[in-house]
Amino acid sequence: TVAFGGSVGLEAPIVLTGSAIASNIGRFFRADKHTTIILVSCGAAGAIAGVFKAPIAGILFAFEVLMLDMSMAAIVPMLIAAISASMISYFFLGQQAQFSYTVTNPFELNKIPAFIFLGIISAFVSLYFFKVNDLVAKWFSKMNKTWKIIIGGLSLGVLLYIFPPLFGEGYTALTMLLKNDISSLLTNSYFYNKSNNIYFILIVVAAIIMLKAFATSITCSSGG
């Protein structure tokens, strides 16, 4: 789905795969519920750590999603799984991380209000994403399978044609933003001639954020 332009990430498939393998191992050895949950957490943490080469992020992801207790019995196995996954990823895929950037300016305390503001905005964007997902899912639930594919494909195709950064998982666009190369977001789009207008680019970025929710929801709800 991602390879053909579905506007979804690679996190969910790899996390589900890692967790499913861990769950099957727990069943094979007839582990109790608590041990199986720890195994599933190790699978999820290892999956995220392997994809992004970020073991701490993998552990935090597993704790956040699966709501484990912060005990040593849970932390140590997840730590081993996350570090092992990162090492294997480095061995086979090299040193390059998924989101690479260079820090040129040191952190300054006067920037803290900007980070707080970013957190508040992100919270509202998250709420907007969930609302849009529920709304689009209800729309598509009223259609049969054929119409889901037709309407979903056409709608997603139009969005991707107008806003190319919505294509696929979107990691390339995020890397551009991290490298402060925001004008490249307009490459291969109708708005390329406006790439020197910073205010117009910011409007396009805001539109991409808003439309990403629809693109992802359409991808999933239409059968992706």
Coordinates of all heavy atoms in Angstrom, one line a residue, residues 11-12 15-16 19 41 43-49 55-67 78:
E11 N 5.2 2.4 10.4 CA 5.4 2.0 11.8 C 4.4 0.9 12.1 O 4.8 -0.1 12.8 CB 5.1 3.3 12.7 CG 6.1 4.4 12.5 CD 5.7 5.3 11.4 OE1 4.6 5.1 10.7 OE2 6.4 6.3 11.1
A12 N 3.1 1.1 11.8 CA 2.1 0.1 12.2 C 2.4 -1.3 11.7 O 2.3 -2.2 12.4 CB 0.7 0.6 11.7
V15 N 5.4 -2.8 13.6 CA 5.1 -3.0 15.0 C 4.1 -4.2 15.2 O 4.3 -5.0 16.1 CB 4.4 -1.7 15.6 CG1 3.8 -2.0 17.0 CG2 5.5 -0.6 15.8
L16 N 3.1 -4.3 14.3 CA 2.2 -5.4 14.4 C 2.9 -6.7 14.1 O 2.7 -7.8 14.7 CB 1.1 -5.2 13.4 CG 0.1 -4.1 13.7 CD1 -0.9 -3.9 12.6 CD2 -0.7 -4.5 15.0
S19 N 5.2 -7.5 17.1 CA 4.4 -7.9 18.3 C 3.8 -9.3 18.1 O 3.7 -10.1 19.0 CB 3.3 -6.9 18.5 OG 3.9 -5.6 18.8
S41 N 5.7 -6.4 24.1 CA 6.3 -5.1 24.3 C 7.7 -5.1 23.7 O 8.2 -4.2 23.0 CB 6.4 -4.7 25.7 OG 5.1 -4.7 26.3
G43 N 8.7 -7.0 21.2 CA 8.6 -7.0 19.8 C 8.3 -5.7 19.2 O 8.8 -5.3 18.2
A44 N 7.4 -4.9 19.9 CA 7.1 -3.6 19.5 C 8.3 -2.6 19.6 O 8.6 -1.8 18.7 CB 5.9 -3.0 20.3
A45 N 8.9 -2.7 20.8 CA 10.1 -1.8 21.0 C 11.2 -2.1 20.0 O 11.8 -1.2 19.4 CB 10.6 -2.0 22.4
G46 N 11.5 -3.4 19.7 CA 12.5 -3.8 18.8 C 12.2 -3.3 17.4 O 13.0 -2.9 16.6
A47 N 10.9 -3.4 17.0 CA 10.5 -3.0 15.7 C 10.7 -1.5 15.4 O 11.3 -1.1 14.4 CB 9.0 -3.3 15.5
I48 N 10.3 -0.7 16.4 CA 10.5 0.8 16.2 C 12.0 1.1 16.3 O 12.5 1.9 15.5 CB 9.8 1.5 17.4 CG1 8.3 1.5 17.2 CG2 10.2 3.0 17.4 CD1 7.7 2.2 15.9
A49 N 12.7 0.5 17.2 CA 14.2 0.7 17.3 C 14.9 0.3 16.0 O 15.8 1.0 15.6 CB 14.7 -0.1 18.5
P55 N 16.7 3.2 19.9 CA 16.2 2.2 20.9 C 15.4 2.9 22.0 O 14.4 2.3 22.5 CB 17.6 1.7 21.5 CG 18.6 2.6 21.0 CD 18.2 3.2 19.8
I56 N 15.8 4.1 22.4 CA 15.0 4.8 23.5 C 13.6 5.1 23.0 O 12.6 4.9 23.8 CB 15.7 6.1 24.0 CG1 17.1 5.7 24.6 CG2 14.9 6.8 24.9 CD1 17.9 6.9 25.0
A57 N 13.5 5.5 21.8 CA 12.1 5.8 21.2 C 11.3 4.5 21.2 O 10.1 4.5 21.4 CB 12.3 6.4 19.8
G58 N 11.9 3.4 20.8 CA 11.2 2.1 20.8 C 10.7 1.7 22.2 O 9.5 1.3 22.3
I59 N 11.5 1.9 23.2 CA 11.1 1.6 24.6 C 9.9 2.5 25.0 O 8.9 2.0 25.6 CB 12.3 1.7 25.5 CG1 13.3 0.6 25.2 CG2 11.8 1.5 27.0 CD1 14.6 0.8 26.0
L60 N 10.1 3.8 24.8 CA 9.0 4.7 25.2 C 7.7 4.5 24.4 O 6.6 4.6 25.0 CB 9.5 6.2 24.9 CG 10.6 6.7 25.8 CD1 11.0 8.1 25.3 CD2 10.2 6.7 27.2
F61 N 7.8 4.1 23.1 CA 6.7 3.7 22.3 C 5.9 2.6 23.0 O 4.7 2.6 23.1 CB 7.1 3.4 20.9 CG 6.0 2.9 20.1 CD1 5.1 3.8 19.4 CD2 5.7 1.5 19.9 CE1 4.1 3.3 18.6 CE2 4.7 1.0 19.1 CZ 3.9 1.9 18.5
A62 N 6.7 1.5 23.3 CA 6.0 0.3 23.9 C 5.3 0.7 25.2 O 4.2 0.2 25.5 CB 7.1 -0.8 24.1
F63 N 6.0 1.5 26.1 CA 5.4 1.8 27.4 C 4.1 2.7 27.1 O 3.1 2.5 27.8 CB 6.4 2.6 28.2 CG 7.3 1.8 29.0 CD1 8.6 1.8 28.8 CD2 6.8 1.0 30.1 CE1 9.5 1.0 29.6 CE2 7.6 0.2 30.8 CZ 8.9 0.2 30.6
E64 N 4.2 3.6 26.2 CA 3.0 4.4 25.9 C 1.8 3.7 25.4 O 0.7 3.9 25.8 CB 3.4 5.5 24.9 CG 2.3 6.5 24.6 CD 2.7 7.5 23.5 OE1 3.9 7.4 23.0 OE2 1.9 8.4 23.2
V65 N 2.1 2.8 24.4 CA 1.0 2.0 23.8 C 0.4 0.9 24.6 O -0.8 0.7 24.7 CB 1.5 1.5 22.4 CG1 0.4 0.6 21.8 CG2 1.8 2.6 21.5
L66 N 1.3 0.2 25.3 CA 0.9 -1.0 26.0 C 0.7 -0.8 27.5 O 0.3 -1.7 28.2 CB 1.9 -2.2 25.8 CG 2.0 -2.6 24.3 CD1 3.2 -3.5 24.1 CD2 0.7 -3.3 23.9
M67 N 1.1 0.4 28.0 CA 0.8 0.8 29.4 C 1.4 -0.2 30.4 O 0.7 -0.7 31.3 CB -0.7 1.0 29.6 CG -1.4 2.0 28.7 SD -0.8 3.7 28.9 CE -1.6 4.1 30.5
M78 N 13.0 -5.2 27.4 CA 12.8 -4.3 26.3 C 14.0 -3.6 25.9 O 14.3 -3.3 24.7 CB 11.7 -3.3 26.7 CG 10.3 -3.9 26.8 SD 9.1 -2.8 27.6 CE 9.3 -1.3 26.6

